[in-house]
Amino acid sequence: MEIETCVDEVPDEETSLSGKHTKSSREQKSFCLCSCYNLSQRVWANLILLVLCYTCVFASTTLMIGGAALATLSVGGDSSNAPVAQGVFFVGAAAVSIFTAPLFGRLGRRFGFAVGSCIGIVGGCIGMGGIFASSTALVILSAFPTGMATGVGLHLRFAAMEVVREEVKPFAMTLVLSGGCIAAFLGPESQLATTGIFGENLEYFGLFMMIVIFNAVGAILVLFVKFPAEEDDSTEDLETVEEDGVMRVDVKDREEKIEIVYTP
């Protein structure tokens, strides 16, 4: 018994009902890859700001995870209490997920992320107070709001997909996640640079000070990000261009372009 397999060839171009040629699937894929870099200055600015915000969030995270145990020991805590701060940090990061959706729904993306960074500032201030007062309890407690800030900041990678076109979303998420690579060096290096600068009794005071600084910078930067869902939907910025039976409606300073084809 002979079995013949027939494979239909896919044409390079497809013809629409109107007789016009459309792009093949191969051409569309290559177009999608190239269009990742064909973004307006405004979209690039949004993505860069989100990368920096993500860097600040995870620089603070690496400081807490890497230095919380040492900070606990430096204020008189024993070895059994040293890992507790790290556990409290992850509890805070998980607990905030319950409130993240209502937070963004009520305040929007921009102010929702700013509130998350402010919570991180509170955590850093509690940690500074714990080092200054040599309080093990305060150092451990500081990990909870710092973890909450990280839990909110994790959503920055999803927010990056809201400021670009559909075909550019994978590139936008990957770009923002690269901020974590920067934070992997920035966090530990800032800890090394600030350890002991306030004296032996306040050896890890600089660690929590940097947590405050990173969260403050992140809170300021995210306020400059323009999220489409929070913009005014008025038609004052519309431009219409009619050419060869095609009406193009371009929105100023946006990536979207609407084409309306009509028959005179």
Side-chain angles (χ1 to χ4, degrees), residues 23-228:
K23 294 182 179 179
S24 65
S25 59
R26 182 180 301 175
E27 290 176 347
Q28 289 175 354
K29 290 181 180 178
S30 62
F31 171 77
C32 292
L33 293 175
C34 296
S35 65
C36 288
Y37 304 96
N38 187 23
L39 303 175
S40 67
Q41 292 182 355
R42 181 177 182 179
V43 174
W44 274 115
N46 285 335
L47 290 177
I48 292 173
L49 286 171
L50 289 173
V51 170
L52 295 176
C53 292
Y54 199 81
T55 300
C56 290
V57 168
F58 277 88
S60 173
T61 301
T62 56
L63 284 171
M64 179 57 70
I65 293 177
L70 297 174
T72 302
L73 293 174
S74 70
V75 296
D78 55 29
S79 58
S80 62
N81 292 330
V84 175
Q86 295 177 340
V88 172
F89 172 85
F90 289 109
V91 170
V96 77
S97 62
I98 302 174
F99 310 101
T100 302
L103 176 67
F104 289 135
R106 186 174 183 84
L107 300 179
R109 298 289 187 269
R110 186 184 297 113
F111 292 105
F113 286 121
V115 168
S117 296
C118 290
I119 296 174
I121 294 174
V122 172
C125 290
I126 295 174
M128 292 169 64
I131 296 295
F132 188 81
S134 297
S135 173
T136 304
L138 286 178
V139 173
I140 294 175
L141 179 62
S142 68
F144 188 81
T146 307
M148 293 179 67
T150 299
V152 175
L154 283 170
H155 291 80
L156 284 166
R157 66 189 189 274
F158 302 117
M161 297 190 296
E162 298 180 2
V163 299
V164 295
R165 302 186 302 272
E166 183 68 28
E167 65 271 18
V168 194
K169 289 182 178 181
F171 169 76
M173 176 180 282
T174 304
L175 182 65
V176 172
L177 287 174
S178 66
C181 300
I182 303 173
F185 294 95
L186 185 60
E189 290 299 323
S190 63
Q191 178 182 346
L192 290 175
T194 57
T195 299
I197 63 174
F198 296 101
E200 295 182 358
N201 295 331
L202 302 175
E203 184 177 5
Y204 291 99
F205 189 86
L207 182 147
F208 292 100
M209 181 187 70
M210 292 306 302
I211 290 177
V212 172
I213 291 175
F214 283 131
N215 281 281
V217 172
I220 294 172
L221 291 176
V222 78
L223 294 177
F224 293 95
V225 179
K226 303 296 183 182
F227 292 100

